[in-house]
């Protein structure tokens, strides 16, 4: 459990390699999806206690996100502004209540840092697969118990399922690196990330996405 468990917040950390492509896309799409579910009102956003961040195992400290990554976010109507890359540090892992990585290698790197991170670190697609198998009725009600308690229970349930619900293939839990690729590949990766995030954010909030 991250240190934020003591402060009434729930901190989600997205991890990739350079923190300029995959994890910025995932961070900003997560924030966008949460706002879609919870509304734009600052008080609603602030009191839910969900904090979304990202970093890279070889993070380009202070770098902007890749232009193609920003373009993908614009496609989804998500905000790319004000982003700067970060190198993954011990303090990021210590504070995180849920770490979602792009690949299994990133997951292994986070867990190897220690800080009892194993039970709260998953690849994004792995976590999605596990979340889909969890009955939402078994989770705390976000209105009665708060979104933070629901999020903590979701992570515990996913960790308990991990040994029982295996990936259909080694690649099934990976989000491949689009760095240096054309915008078409970035858009494909963005679509994969969005599809993986949708059930996760629904499970976290108890609110399905608004469909047009």
């Amino acid at each position: 459990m991250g240190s934020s468990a003591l402060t009434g917040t729930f901190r989600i950390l997205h991890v990739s390699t350079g923190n300029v492509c995959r994890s910025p896309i995932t961070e900003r799409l997560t924030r966008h999806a949460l706002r879609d579910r919870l509304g734009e009102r600052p008080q609603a956003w602030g009191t839910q206690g969900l904090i979304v961040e990202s970093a890279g195992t070889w993070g380009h400290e202070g770098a902007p996100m890749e232009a193609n990554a920003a373009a993908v976010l614009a496609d989804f109507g998500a905000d790319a502004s004000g982003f700067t890359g970060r190198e993954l540090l011990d303090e990021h892992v210590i504070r995180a209540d849920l770490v979602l990585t792009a690949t299994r290698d990133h997951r292994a790197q986070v867990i190897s840092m220690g800080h009892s991170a194993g039970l709260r670190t998953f690849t994004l697609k792995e976590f999605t697969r596990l979340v889909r198998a969890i009955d939402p009725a078994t989770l705390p009600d976000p209105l009665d118990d708060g979104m933070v308690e629901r999020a903590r229970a979701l992570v515990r349930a996913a960790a308990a399922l991990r040994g029982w619900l295996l990936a259909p293939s080694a690649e099934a839990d990976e989000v491949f690196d689009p760095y240096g690729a054309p915008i078409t590949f970035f858009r494909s990766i963005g679509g994969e990330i969005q599809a993986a995030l949708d059930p996760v954010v629904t499970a976290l909030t108890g609110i399905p996405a608004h469909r047009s």
Side-chain angles (χ1 to χ4, degrees), residues 7-209:
T7 63
T9 60
F10 185 90
R11 196 176 290 264
I12 303 168
L13 176 66
H14 294 295
V15 175
S16 63
T17 303
N19 194 214
V20 292
C21 296
R22 287 168 291 181
S23 50
I25 291 172
T26 316
E27 173 198 310
R28 294 308 176 91
L29 285 181
T30 304
R31 292 184 184 184
H32 182 68
L34 285 169
R35 288 191 177 98
D36 177 65
R37 306 299 205 280
L38 302 175
E40 291 289 349
R41 298 186 308 280
Q43 65 269 28
W45 173 240
T47 57
Q48 302 304 330
L50 301 180
I51 300 167
V52 186
E53 302 175 310
S54 65
T57 55
W58 292 90
H60 302 295
E61 188 73 32
M65 77 172 73
E66 283 287 295
N68 282 347
V72 166
L73 289 173
D75 290 344
F76 287 102
D79 183 12
S81 65
F83 182 86
T84 54
R86 301 193 305 175
E87 176 77 30
L88 180 66
L89 302 176
D90 289 276
E91 65 191 61
H92 301 146
V93 177
I94 290 168
R95 288 201 308 255
D97 298 285
L98 172 62
V99 184
L100 296 176
T101 70
T103 69
R104 291 166 296 151
D105 282 347
H106 296 130
R107 182 184 64 195
Q109 286 176 271
V110 171
I111 292 172
S112 74
M113 294 171 71
H115 315 303
S116 304
L119 291 177
R120 50 195 167 92
T121 303
F122 309 79
T123 78
L124 170 62
K125 288 186 175 181
E126 173 192 21
F127 194 66
T128 302
R129 180 162 44 78
L130 298 170
V131 161
R132 286 184 183 278
I134 296 167
D135 180 357
T138 65
L139 298 172
D141 186 288
L143 293 177
D144 293 337
D145 304 297
M147 207 146 308
V148 169
E149 284 306 312
R150 182 181 178 92
R152 290 177 188 154
L154 184 68
V155 172
R156 290 193 299 269
L161 275 177
R162 179 152 47 187
W164 300 93
L165 194 64
L166 302 180
S169 69
E171 291 73 32
D173 286 342
E174 307 274 287
V175 175
F176 293 108
D177 192 356
Y179 185 77
I183 184 63
T184 50
F185 189 64
F186 267 84
R187 287 194 167 114
S188 172
I189 292 299
E192 284 185 30
I193 291 170
Q194 174 74 1
L197 281 174
D198 183 70
V200 171
V201 177
T202 298
L204 282 169
T205 62
I207 304 169

